[in-house]
């Protein structure tokens, strides 16, 4: 569901809401509602036709849990009357292995999902979480770039990092310039390890891009599409163009050692 910068269908998409997410309504303007996304505090506008109210009790309980995420590229959430397609990384609120709950509605999901209580959550072993992070990153390859996007059918660089880290119970902020404030600095490219985040700036020094470090100083990032390129102390080198596409600013380690 698109969340826009202004109360207009013509306004840019600044982020998206996916199935199972919660938000607060800040104010109304005609058929538009300004919202704040519960998970990352991001604000924007959507059409009231897309609004689904839930109780204050549900919202409070939702905020207190680390909900499982889907691990299938595309799967279905369903009940007796409805089938809803969901993509990789979608939250499954209050999922018990078979059923989930959206407001007062109980629905079913029978695909693969993370288990926050079995190693995938924020308190799981770093090795287990890193393995899942890197495996799921490969599934996003070739997904098209979309400014403000957060799904396999269109995603931006920071949305990709937020979705991947969400799979292992780490809630990143929405934008790259916010994500750079997390974790510990890694001062040399040679000291990086898989799972680190690399940040890149423009000529004005503004953070404009982020990617996930893989083995052998390769980086997974969304630039035109989700792709893998080599990284060195200068930045990302595009072999197909024989030039650097992004200038390296800083590398941060988000996953601590066990």
């Amino acid at each position: 569901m698109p969340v826009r910068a202004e109360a207009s269908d013509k306004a840019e998409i600044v982020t998206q809401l996916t199935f199972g997410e919660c938000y607060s309504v800040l104010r109304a303007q005609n058929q538009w509602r300004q919202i704040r996304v519960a998970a990352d505090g991001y604000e924007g506008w959507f059409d009231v036709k897309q609004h689904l109210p839930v109780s204050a009790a549900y919202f409070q309980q939702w905020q207190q849990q680390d909900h499982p995420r889907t691990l299938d590229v595309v799967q279905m959430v369903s009940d007796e009357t409805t089938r809803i397609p969901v993509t990789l990384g979608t939250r499954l609120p209050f999922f018990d292995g078979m059923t989930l709950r959206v407001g007062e509605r109980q629905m079913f999901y029978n695909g693969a999902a993370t288990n926050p209580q079995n190693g995938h959550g924020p308190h799981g072993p770093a090795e287990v979480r890193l393995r899942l992070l890197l495996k799921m990153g490969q599934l996003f390859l070739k997904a098209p770039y979309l400014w403000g996007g957060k799904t396999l059918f269109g995603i931006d660089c920071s949305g990709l990092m937020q979705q991947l880290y969400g799979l292992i119970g780490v809630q990143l902020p929405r934008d790259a310039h916010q994500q750079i404030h997390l974790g510990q600095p890694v001062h040399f490219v040679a000291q990086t390890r898989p799972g680190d985040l690399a940040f890149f700036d423009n000529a004005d020094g503004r953070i404009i891009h982020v990617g996930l470090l893989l083995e052998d100083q390769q980086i997974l990032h969304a630039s035109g599409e989700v792709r893998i390129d080599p990284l060195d102390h200068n930045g990302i080198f595009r072999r197909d163009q024989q030039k650097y596409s992004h200038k390296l600013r800083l590398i941060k380690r988000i996953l601590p050692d066990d």
Side-chain angles (χ1 to χ4, degrees):
M1 184 171 93
V3 179
R4 301 182 181 275
E6 299 173 4
S8 167
D9 283 317
K10 297 180 180 180
E12 70 170 309
I13 298 174
V14 293
T15 191
Q16 292 175 325
L17 283 170
T18 58
F19 179 89
E21 289 196 75
C22 279
Y23 53 86
S24 301
V25 177
L26 304 180
R27 64 188 179 111
Q29 182 175 314
N30 299 320
Q31 83 270 25
W32 292 89
R33 298 294 181 270
Q34 186 184 37
I35 65 157
R36 178 180 295 125
V37 181
D40 59 22
Y42 218 69
E43 295 182 6
W45 294 83
F46 69 63
D47 193 305
V48 70
K49 293 190 293 292
Q50 298 169 310
H51 177 49
L52 176 67
V54 297
S55 68
Y58 177 94
F59 183 67
Q60 184 177 21
Q61 292 171 3
W62 186 95
Q63 291 178 297
Q64 293 171 348
Q65 289 199 23
D66 181 20
H67 303 282
R69 308 278 189 120
T70 59
L71 291 174
D72 291 335
V73 170
V74 180
Q75 190 51 267
M76 288 288 177
V77 169
S78 62
D79 61 15
E80 294 80 3
T81 61
T82 308
R83 285 165 58 87
I84 301 174
V86 294
T87 60
L88 175 63
T90 299
R91 284 178 174 83
L92 300 169
F94 308 103
F95 184 57
D96 61 7
M98 181 179 296
T99 64
L100 56 117
R101 187 161 50 90
V102 179
E104 300 304 313
R105 190 174 183 180
Q106 181 172 287
M107 306 189 78
F108 297 91
Y109 176 81
N110 64 357
T114 62
N115 186 341
Q117 280 72 50
N118 192 29
H120 295 152
H123 305 297
E127 181 182 349
V128 173
R129 299 165 75 202
L130 178 61
R131 192 183 311 124
L132 179 64
L133 180 73
L134 300 178
K135 180 181 178 181
M136 293 301 105
Q138 297 291 323
L139 293 182
F140 277 93
L141 281 173
K142 306 299 287 187
Y145 181 88
L146 175 67
W147 180 272
K150 285 172 51 175
T151 78
L152 281 161
F153 298 111
I155 198 163
D156 64 22
C157 64
S158 55
L160 177 61
M161 299 305 107
Q162 189 185 61
Q163 288 295 81
L164 287 175
Y165 264 90
L167 286 165
I168 59 171
V170 178
Q171 177 62 57
L172 297 184
R174 179 61 182 86
D175 289 340
H177 70 86
Q178 301 168 315
Q179 294 173 359
I180 196 173
H181 297 295
L182 276 65
Q184 299 300 317
V186 179
H187 298 292
F188 301 100
V189 172
Q191 296 176 341
T192 62
R193 65 189 189 200
D196 292 345
L197 295 184
F199 295 89
F200 307 84
D201 60 11
N202 61 11
D204 298 324
R206 189 166 61 90
I207 300 300
I208 58 167
H209 195 62
V210 60
L212 179 75
L213 268 293
L214 308 176
E215 297 280 0
D216 302 320
Q217 292 177 206
Q218 304 284 303
I219 187 168
L220 177 84
H221 64 124
S223 179
E225 63 182 15
V226 178
R227 53 183 294 123
I228 294 174
D229 290 302
L231 175 77
D232 62 26
H233 66 278
N234 291 313
I236 298 174
F237 187 74
R238 289 282 297 263
R239 291 194 184 97
D240 54 338
Q241 299 175 355
Q242 286 297 296
K243 68 177 185 180
Y244 287 93
S245 61
H246 297 85
K247 182 169 69 73
L248 181 62
R249 169 73 169 272
L250 186 63
I251 297 169
K252 300 294 285 288
R253 182 153 298 154
I254 307 299
L255 274 181
D257 297 321
D258 277 345

